[in-house]
């Protein structure tokens, strides 16, 4: 296997919720070190696709391969496979009764069976990486939304993932806190982290993404370099969507 093999490889993925066919024959690959931003209207299947990458949602058909492991193989050790995939949600999902440090050490000591001092060293390193060295002892309630989201990112990074998934990581934040989270994500991208980011931050996608994927109606309608897709989209549906996000008007 060479390093040019895709880190993520999804083939023929179909997902239904009851009779609702929410992902339709998706083929989607992500190269090592690539940053892919996924955009598209509400309900188009962005979160479901992201959740299929670590099999938080089970597809009805198709294969999901991450880092040479086929997660859809019934013999796959799914917990082990998931450990190499960090996920950051819109609603931080921190443990409220644990400090920032302990939010980061918890999985290290319980899941990876690291010794306490080793876990703390890793957690401190990653909290420093997201600019929160001063906040290691703070509890989530005492942190701003932007700081909480950065703890969530540090927690995911502490597991030393091969891939990071972000589902609208800045959508729950007050506008003035969005920048600090995007700065951390931009730095991660610069460090070569492979990232799939569902986002409405078109400026971020334009600047940081290697590729932008536009989804609508459970399918990938169009994808390409941000400069092309965001400025000269080929498909009318992409154009309409971008017009609506970039030039919002009151109804
Ligand atoms: N757990 C679920 N049970 C039933 N239907 C679901 C579930 N999760 C999502 N859906 C449906 O699947 C479709 C795709 O939803 P999804 O959350 O992936 O869209 P999205 O593109 O992430 O939208 P948004 O931008 O609003 O987050 C929608 O029709 C949604 O109602
Ligand atoms: Mg979503």
């Amino acid at each position: 296997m060479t390093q040019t093999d895709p880190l993520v490889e999804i083939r023929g993925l179909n997902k239904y919720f009851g009779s609702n066919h929410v992902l339709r024959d998706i083929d989607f690959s992500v190269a090592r070190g690539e940053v892919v931003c996924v955009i598209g209207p509400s309900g188009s299947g962005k979160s479901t696709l992201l959740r299929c990458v670590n099999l938080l949602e089970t597809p009805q058909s198709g294969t999901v391969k991450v880092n040479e492991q086929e997660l859809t193989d019934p013999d796959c050790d799914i917990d082990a496979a998931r450990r190499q995939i960090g996920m950051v949600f819109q609603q931080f999902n921190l443990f409220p009764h644990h400090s920032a440090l302990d939010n980061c050490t918890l999985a290290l000591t319980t899941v990876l069976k690291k010794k306490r001092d080793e876990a703390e060293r890793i957690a401190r390193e990653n909290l420093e990486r997201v600019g929160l060295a001063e906040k290691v002892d703070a509890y989530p309630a005492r942190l701003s939304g932007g700081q909480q989201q950065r703890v969530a990112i540090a927690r995911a990074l502490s597991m030393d993932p091969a891939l990071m998934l972000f589902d609208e990581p800045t959508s729950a934040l007050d506008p003035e806190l969005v920048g600090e989270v995007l700065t951390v994500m931009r730095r991660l991208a610069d460090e070569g982290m492979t990232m799939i980011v569902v986002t409405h931050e078109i400026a971020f996608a334009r600047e940081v993404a290697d590729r932008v994927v536009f989804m609508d109606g459970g399918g990938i309608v169009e994808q390409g370099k941000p400069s092309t897709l965001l400025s000269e989209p080929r498909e009318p549906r992409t154009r309409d969507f971008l017009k609506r996000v970039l030039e919002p008007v009151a109804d």
Side-chain angles (χ1 to χ4, degrees):
M1 299 287 170
T2 63
Q3 289 294 299
T4 51
D5 286 333
L7 182 69
V8 178
E9 193 168 14
I10 291 177
R11 292 273 166 260
L13 188 81
N14 282 281
K15 173 70 188 173
Y16 294 80
F17 287 112
S19 60
N20 191 5
H21 193 180
V22 301
L23 293 178
R24 298 166 179 266
D25 266 324
I26 301 264
D27 292 326
F28 175 59
S29 298
V30 180
R32 288 173 198 276
E34 194 179 21
V35 177
V36 177
C37 284
V38 181
I39 60 171
S42 182
S44 58
K46 306 180 299 294
S47 297
T48 307
L49 175 61
L50 205 65
R51 292 165 63 82
C52 282
V53 175
N54 57 8
L55 239 62
L56 281 181
E57 297 291 354
T58 313
Q60 273 76 15
S61 68
T63 54
V64 177
K65 234 166 126 181
V66 178
N67 214 5
E68 320 295 346
Q69 265 185 304
E70 189 190 325
L71 278 71
T72 36
D73 181 338
D75 293 333
C76 175
D77 178 348
I78 192 70
D79 292 331
R82 273 195 198 123
R83 262 170 236 151
Q84 27 165 12
I85 307 174
M87 186 151 187
V88 174
F89 303 87
Q90 185 174 338
Q91 300 291 346
F92 334 134
N93 297 354
L94 295 177
F95 301 108
H97 53 291
H98 285 298
S99 67
L101 187 73
D102 286 346
N103 264 279
C104 296
T105 57
L106 209 57
L108 289 172
T109 52
T110 57
V111 180
L112 298 186
K113 310 289 180 207
K114 301 244 184 235
K115 296 225 164 60
R116 177 76 206 173
D117 47 349
E118 164 80 348
E120 280 198 14
R121 184 186 63 72
I122 295 170
R124 284 178 193 281
E125 215 172 84
N126 283 295
L127 284 164
E128 192 177 326
R129 206 167 162 194
V130 301
L132 290 176
E134 315 292 296
K135 298 289 183 187
V136 286
D137 295 321
Y139 283 77
R142 291 294 179 87
L143 297 172
S144 73
Q147 290 169 336
Q148 289 184 58
Q149 190 60 302
R150 286 187 285 148
V151 173
I153 294 172
R155 175 175 63 179
L157 292 175
S158 293
M159 300 295 280
D160 194 21
L163 168 70
M164 286 284 286
L165 308 176
F166 293 87
D167 193 355
E168 298 198 34
T170 59
S171 294
L173 299 177
D174 291 336
E176 74 271 23
L177 303 178
V178 168
E180 65 190 62
V181 172
L182 293 181
T183 297
V184 165
M185 292 171 62
R186 189 181 297 118
R187 202 179 309 139
L188 266 185
D190 289 344
E191 289 169 11
M193 177 64 76
T194 311
M195 299 166 47
I196 308 175
V197 185
V198 174
T199 186
H200 293 298
E201 298 288 339
I202 301 296
F204 175 82
R206 191 185 293 278
E207 185 202 345
V208 179
D210 296 303
R211 175 159 50 112
V212 179
V213 169
F214 172 67
M215 288 185 71
D216 194 17
I220 293 177
V221 173
E222 177 170 8
Q223 54 183 315
K225 283 203 173 84
S227 54
T228 312
L229 187 126
L230 298 172
S231 305
E232 304 155 35
R234 197 180 56 226
E235 300 291 331
R237 275 192 285 176
T238 319
R239 277 202 289 273
D240 289 349
F241 172 77
L242 286 170
K243 194 162 188 315
R244 274 185 283 126
V245 245
L246 296 172
E247 304 159 27
V249 284
D251 287 326

